Amino acid sequence: MTIKPAVRISDRKLIVKDRTILSGVPENVITSSGSSSGPVEGIFLGAVFDEEKSRHVLPLGTLREVRFMACFRFKLYWMAQKMGDHGKDIPLETQFLLVETKDGSQLESDDGNEENQIVYTVFLPLIEGSFRACLQGNDNDELELCLESGDVETKMSSFTHSLFIHAGTDPFGTITEAVRAVKLHLKTFRQRHEKKLPGIVDYFGWCTWDAFYQEVTQEGVESGLKSLAAGGTPPKFVIIDDGWQSVGGDPQEETKDQNDSNQQPLLRLTGIKENSKFQNKDDPTVGIKNIVNVAKEKYGLKYVYVWHAITGYWGGVRPGVKEMEEYGSLMKYPEVSKAVAENDPTWKTEIMALQGLGLMDPKSVYKFYNELHSYLASAGIDGVKVDVQCILETLGGGLGGRVELTRQYHQALDASVARNFPDNGCIACMSHNTDALYCSKQTAVVRASDDFFPRDPVSHTIHIAAVSYNSVFLGEFMLPDWDMFHSVHPAAEYHASARAISGGPVYVSDEPGKHDFNVLKKLVLPDGSILRARLPGRPTRDCLFTDPSRDGISLLKIWNMNKYTGVLGVYNCQGAAWNTVERKNTFHETKSDALTGAIKGRDVHLISEAATDSNWNGDCAIYCHRTGEVTILPYNAALPVSLKVLEHHIFTLTPIKVLAPGFSFAPFGLIAMYNAGGAIEELKYEVLKGDCGGELVGKVFTEVKGYGKFGAYSSTKPRRCIVDSNVVDFVYDLPTGLVTFNLDSLPEEGKLHVVEIEL
C-alpha cells in the first residue's frame, strides 16, 4: 500500500487531501517535500526557466470555485485583505493566501470524518537566494508566482523553494505549522513565541504623533503626560514620534529645480542627536535626557521610546554633512516593483521618488544604528519605533537586490537593538513586506495596518478589518500593534474596544487635555497597566473567507484568549474598502439598517483551553459589555447579534463549571473593562461532599488583578463572597445568575486580590 502525500502535484494538478485546488500546473514547476523541514504535510514549489532574468512570472495553474483570503500590499508599506473564489480575484502583491475547500461543514470539521472536513491550504511565497516571491491572479483565473530581485544585474533561472504549500483542518494551527516549516528551511527568522516581548505591551501608553505631528516639543510631551495622569489613566510609556531629530533640506542650489515645481524639499538626517526643541535651554548638552528624566521621575513612566526611519529619516542621511560622512550616504532614487506601482499609482508623485533618498552604505549601517541607539540609551531611552522599512526594497539596484539590502539593514538593526535596548525595545512600522518578515529575528512587535487617521471618516471600519485579517499572517512573526487612536472621537469606542482584544500594545495619540476618561478607564487600570489578551486577535474561523468590508451582509467577529476566559468582539465594518478600480480606499453603498449575525462559544477558537475541566461539555456563560446581559449558551447554540455600521459588541465567554447538580459557576472578571476576563490570573474550584439541603457544596478560588466591579455567573445565590480575607456585600440577580461585588482597592504592585466564593 502506498501512502499518498497530503499535498502533491499529480497529472498536472495540485491535490490537497485528494481535492484538486489548481489544475493545469505547468511542466516547468518542480516540487520538493516539506518533510525535511519537520513533520509537516507540505511541499515547496519552484520552477526552471529558459533564461536568467531579474524578474519572472509563472502561472501555477487554474484556481476556481474555492474561497480564499489573501493578504496583499495595496501600498508599498501596508497590507490589507481581499476575499474571492476565482484566480482572477487574487490581487497583485499577495504575500499570504489561505484557501478553503468547500466539502463538509464547520460542524464536521471539529470532530467528524476527515474526508468530510473543511481543509485549509496555506500558500506562503518565500525568499529564495536574492529573489523574493509573491502571488497574483490573471484574467484566465490562473494563480501566478512572481519572482523578482529588484536589481537588473541580479538574475536567476532556477528556483526550488520559492513557494511553500501546507494543508490542515485547523486553519490557525495549519498557518503556524506552515510558518514553522518555512522557518526551519530558511533559518533566517524566528516566530512570535520565540521572541522577548518588550514591557510596553502590558501598559497603557501615549504617542505624540496625532497630537502634534512634527511640531512636537518637550513642553508638549510633558503636557500630554500630565493631563492623562490627572484623569486617572497614567501612561507608563510614551513614544516621541517624528519631530525630535536634527534634519534639514538639501543645499539650495541642489533643490532649485524641485522648488520650481512648488514641492517642499524632502528633509534628511543631519546629525545623530536631538534638535534644539529637545535641548535643555539652560544646558543644551543635557539633550533629550531632559524630557526622559521628566517623564520617568515626575510622571512615573517606565519606558520612553523615540521614532526614527530605517534609513535614518524620510529622506535618508544627507550626503556631504561632515558629522555623517562615516556612514557613506549616497543619493539613490527608489524604484518600486511593477505590482506595487500598479496597486498604488500615487507612488510616481511621491516626494521620495522625485527627490531621492540618502542611503547609507550597508557596511556602515550597523555603526549608524549603534551610535544612534547607544546615545539614546545613555539618555534613558528604552526603545525605538523604526519606520518606513519597506523603502529598502526599492533601493537594491546595484547593491545585490532588494533581499540582500533588506537583510543587511535588518541584521544591523537587530544587533544594535539587542546591544542597546535590553528589553528588546523595538516596534517595526511600514514594514509589511516579506523581505523583512523572513529575516526578522529580533523585533517582536509590528504595526498591523495603515495608520489611524482621525480626520478621515472612510478609514475607521477599514482599519478594524485590516488589523484583524493582517494579524492572521503577521501574528506568526511578531505581536501585531493595532496602532494609536483618539479617545475623543466619533469612533472612539469602536477603536478602543478593538485595541483591548488585540493582544497588542494599547496607546492613544490624544491632544493634551482632550481625553474621554470614561473610554480610557475601560482599558486602563489606575496603575497604568492593561488587561492584555494572550494572543494576536484574529477573525473567527467562520469569518476567514467572508468579506465584512464589502459584501453587505457579514459582521466581523474577532476572537482572543485570556487564562480562564475567551473574548469575542463583533464589528460592523461594512461600507468602505480598498477600491480595485480607483486604487484607493472609498465608501461604497451599504444598507443603513443593522446587519444580524450570530456568535457561538466555539467562535473563540481555543475556548476549551480556558476550561478547568478536561471533560468540559462546551457550555459557556456570556457577558455582553455594552448591555450587561448574561446569556447561557449551550455547545453549538447561537446568540443573534445585530449591529449598524461602526457599531460593536464585546463579549466575555467563560466555560461553565458544574460543581454539582444545580450548582454551576463561571467568572467574567472586571466587568467595567472591555476585556473583563483579562483580570483573572488564577481559578480553582473545590467540590465538597455537601448535598443540596443547605450544606456547602463547593468553593471558588480566584486571584484577580486590578480593581472595580467583579462579575460572575452563578446558577444559585452564593452563600458568601470573601475578598482578601474579608466578607463583602454582593448583589445577586436571580433571573440572569449575575453575581457582582466590588474590589475597592488596587493591590500593591505585583500582588493580586484573593477572592473566595462559597456556593
Side-chain angles (χ1 to χ4, degrees):
M1 174 180 166
T2 303
I3 299 175
K4 297 176 184 174
V7 183
R8 67 188 194 278
I9 289 180
S10 177
D11 299 327
R12 296 188 63 200
K13 295 176 182 175
L14 173 66
I15 297 171
V16 175
K17 295 184 183 286
D18 293 326
R19 297 163 205 185
T20 299
I21 304 290
L22 298 174
S23 57
V25 177
E27 299 288 353
N28 65 329
V29 169
I30 55 178
T31 64
S32 306
S33 170
S35 60
S36 60
S37 298
V40 167
E41 296 178 342
I43 58 170
F44 290 95
L45 260 58
V48 177
F49 298 93
D50 293 336
E51 61 178 309
E52 290 194 338
K53 291 182 179 179
S54 61
R55 184 175 187 270
H56 298 275
V57 177
L58 170 73
L60 295 175
T62 304
L63 184 143
R64 288 194 180 115
E65 296 179 358
V66 289
R67 296 199 299 174
F68 70 78
M69 188 272 284
C71 290
F72 76 103
R73 283 195 300 164
F74 69 103
K75 292 181 180 178
L76 174 65
Y77 305 108
W78 302 115
M79 291 193 299
Q81 78 285 354
K82 179 75 166 65
M83 290 73 170
D85 56 13
H86 282 71
K88 66 174 181 285
D89 301 326
I90 295 172
L92 299 166
E93 275 295 317
T94 290
Q95 301 188 122
F96 169 86
L97 184 67
L98 184 66
V99 173
E100 172 206 60
T101 48
K102 291 185 176 179
D103 306 345
S105 73
Q106 297 263 315
L107 212 56
E108 291 165 311
S109 71
D110 279 334
D111 47 23
N113 185 322
E114 185 168 319
E115 289 178 5
N116 296 322
Q117 291 178 4
I118 291 179
V119 174
Y120 301 89
T121 305
V122 184
F123 291 76
L124 297 176
L126 303 177
I127 304 298
E128 183 168 1
S130 297
F131 278 67
R132 174 259 189 185
C134 64
L135 298 168
Q136 59 195 39
N138 67 26
D139 291 340
N140 299 319
D141 283 331
E142 290 175 311
L143 176 65
E144 294 181 334
L145 182 68
C146 177
L147 299 149
E148 52 198 336
S149 70
D151 174 28
V152 291
E153 298 302 320
T154 302
K155 304 174 184 179
M156 282 175 62
S157 62
S158 180
F159 302 85
T160 59
H161 290 72
S162 295
L163 176 67
F164 184 65
I165 305 172
H166 176 50
T169 53
D170 172 349
F172 305 106
T174 300
I175 294 163
T176 299
E177 289 170 2
V179 173
R180 180 177 181 271
V182 168
K183 176 193 70 178
L184 293 172
H185 164 68
L186 288 176
K187 299 180 175 64
T188 54
F189 70 95
R190 293 192 294 161
Q191 288 174 272
R192 182 192 80 250
H193 62 269
E194 299 172 302
K195 297 175 178 177
K196 174 182 170 58
L197 285 177
I200 61 167
V201 300
D202 289 311
Y203 291 94
F204 173 60
W206 177 59
C207 178
T208 62
W209 180 242
D210 288 315
F212 298 108
Y213 299 109
Q214 288 157 327
E215 304 307 311
V216 62
T217 62
Q218 289 187 90
E219 295 76 18
V221 172
E222 182 172 2
S223 65
L225 300 178
K226 182 178 181 180
S227 66
L228 282 166
T233 58
K236 291 298 170 181
F237 73 90
V238 64
I239 301 172
I240 301 173
D241 213 294
D242 187 6
W244 69 271
Q245 291 169 287
S246 296
V247 298
D250 294 330
Q252 200 62 40
E253 61 271 15
E254 292 179 29
T255 58
K256 185 175 185 300
D257 294 338
Q258 295 159 3
N259 290 339
D260 288 345
S261 65
N262 295 320
Q263 190 172 51
Q264 288 293 315
L266 179 60
L267 299 179
R268 312 190 197 283
L269 197 66
T270 56
I272 286 283
K273 296 184 179 182
E274 66 289 313
N275 59 40
S276 60
K277 293 186 296 177
F278 282 85
Q279 291 171 351
N280 186 315
K281 292 174 178 57
D282 299 325
D283 181 4
T285 61
V286 174
I288 201 166
K289 188 174 186 177
N290 186 62
I291 187 60
V292 175
N293 288 345
V294 168
K296 292 186 175 182
E297 294 168 13
K298 189 172 179 180
Y299 296 100
L301 269 73
K302 291 177 177 288
Y303 309 98
V304 177
Y305 280 38
V306 297
W307 177 99
H308 70 78
I310 200 161
T311 54
Y313 200 68
W314 295 98
V317 170
R318 198 170 90 190
V321 176
K322 188 175 180 184
E323 316 74 289
M324 308 293 274
E325 280 179 351
E326 58 189 322
Y327 308 129
S329 177
L330 294 173
M331 287 301 298
K332 286 184 70 72
Y333 287 81
E335 296 180 22
V336 299
S337 66
K338 183 179 177 182
V340 168
E342 195 165 328
N343 277 354
D344 184 9
T346 63
W347 176 261
K348 56 181 175 284
T349 57
E350 174 71 36
I351 189 170
M352 275 187 269
L354 298 175
Q355 297 188 25
L357 183 146
L359 183 71
M360 290 175 279
D361 184 338
K363 295 183 177 64
S364 302
V365 77
Y366 171 73
K367 181 176 176 62
F368 167 76
Y369 289 144
N370 185 51
E371 290 180 355
L372 171 63
H373 294 162
S374 62
Y375 172 70
L376 294 171
S378 71
I381 299 288
D382 302 283
V384 284
K385 173 183 170 182
V386 183
D387 214 343
V388 208
Q389 294 196 12
C390 288
I391 196 64
L392 293 173
E393 74 176 60
T394 71
L395 302 166
L399 294 169
R402 55 188 290 172
V403 172
E404 179 64 18
L405 182 64
T406 300
R407 183 185 62 80
Q408 289 175 294
Y409 265 67
H410 277 275
Q411 285 181 347
L413 179 64
D414 283 356
S416 180
V417 168
R419 179 174 180 177
N420 294 292
F421 303 124
D423 192 46
N424 199 23
C426 188
I427 301 171
C429 192
M430 299 176 78
S431 60
H432 286 188
N433 63 2
T434 45
D435 311 52
L437 288 176
Y438 287 127
C439 68
S440 166
K441 285 192 169 181
Q442 185 76 24
T443 304
V445 179
V446 59
R447 269 279 308 281
S449 78
D450 201 351
D451 291 9
F452 165 74
F453 293 110
R455 296 164 190 83
D456 181 7
V458 78
S459 70
H460 302 295
T461 55
I462 289 172
H463 188 102
I464 302 306
V467 289
S468 60
Y469 284 98
N470 286 345
S471 292
V472 173
F473 181 42
L474 294 174
E476 298 298 327
F477 300 86
M478 303 179 223
L479 185 65
D481 164 4
W482 289 15
D483 201 16
M484 61 194 95
F485 68 99
H486 277 177
S487 68
V488 177
H489 192 274
E493 293 224 43
Y494 193 75
H495 281 283
S497 62
R499 304 311 187 275
I501 65 171
S502 72
V506 174
Y507 55 108
V508 292
S509 54
D510 293 350
E511 289 182 47
K514 294 184 179 178
H515 315 292
D516 186 337
F517 290 105
N518 290 325
V519 172
L520 294 179
K521 287 178 180 179
K522 298 175 187 180
L523 284 164
V524 190
L525 294 170
D527 62 357
S529 65
I530 61 170
L531 303 180
R532 186 170 66 86
R534 304 179 78 193
L535 300 169
R538 287 162 289 180
T540 57
R541 184 196 290 229
D542 61 346
C543 287
L544 285 171
F545 303 101
T546 60
D547 193 341
S549 297
R550 299 176 178 88
D551 69 10
I553 56 173
S554 300
L555 297 174
L556 171 61
K557 296 182 289 183
I558 301 169
W559 69 276
N560 212 325
M561 288 292 297
N562 301 304
K563 281 186 180 178
Y564 298 101
T565 68
V567 62
L568 196 62
V570 188
Y571 295 82
N572 187 329
C573 300
Q574 297 288 345
W578 188 77
N579 187 313
T580 54
V581 177
E582 296 186 41
R583 304 287 174 179
K584 64 179 183 178
N585 289 328
T586 59
F587 284 118
H588 53 259
E589 190 173 342
T590 191
K591 298 171 186 172
S592 58
D593 299 337
L595 295 179
T596 299
I599 65 168
K600 295 183 177 183
R602 57 193 177 83
D603 282 340
V604 177
H605 189 67
L606 300 175
I607 188 64
S608 62
E609 294 184 7
T612 57
D613 276 351
S614 57
N615 60 349
W616 171 60
N617 67 4
D619 295 352
C620 285
I622 297 181
Y623 181 82
C624 178
H625 177 269
R626 203 165 84 189
T627 65
E629 294 173 357
V630 174
T631 306
I632 305 307
L633 209 57
Y635 178 72
N636 244 8
L639 177 68
V641 178
S642 295
L643 296 169
K644 294 181 179 179
V645 172
L646 279 172
E647 288 185 342
H648 75 282
H649 272 306
I650 299 289
F651 298 95
T652 296
L653 293 83
T654 309
I656 294 175
K657 167 72 175 179
V658 180
L659 290 91
F663 290 81
S664 300
F665 192 86
F668 297 125
L670 295 179
I671 56 177
M673 308 291 281
Y674 291 119
N675 184 25
I680 302 173
E681 293 285 348
E682 190 60 61
L683 177 63
K684 293 178 183 175
Y685 295 96
E686 182 182 341
V687 180
L688 304 172
K689 291 184 177 179
D691 58 30
C692 301
E695 291 185 43
L696 190 62
V697 171
K699 295 181 180 179
V700 182
F701 300 93
T702 182
E703 294 183 12
V704 183
K705 174 182 177 179
Y707 93 130
K709 183 179 283 189
F710 184 89
Y713 162 75
S714 181
S715 61
T716 56
K717 183 177 180 179
R719 294 163 66 97
R720 61 179 186 163
C721 298
I722 303 165
V723 177
D724 300 327
S725 302
N726 299 308
V727 177
V728 298
D729 293 335
F730 66 89
V731 175
Y732 182 69
D733 183 58
L734 184 62
T736 64
L738 179 65
V739 55
T740 57
F741 51 86
N742 288 323
L743 305 178
D744 288 328
S745 62
L746 197 66
E748 294 176 33
E749 188 169 359
K751 295 193 175 181
L752 302 167
H753 289 294
V754 177
V755 176
E756 184 180 332
I757 300 164
E758 296 180 354
L759 302 173

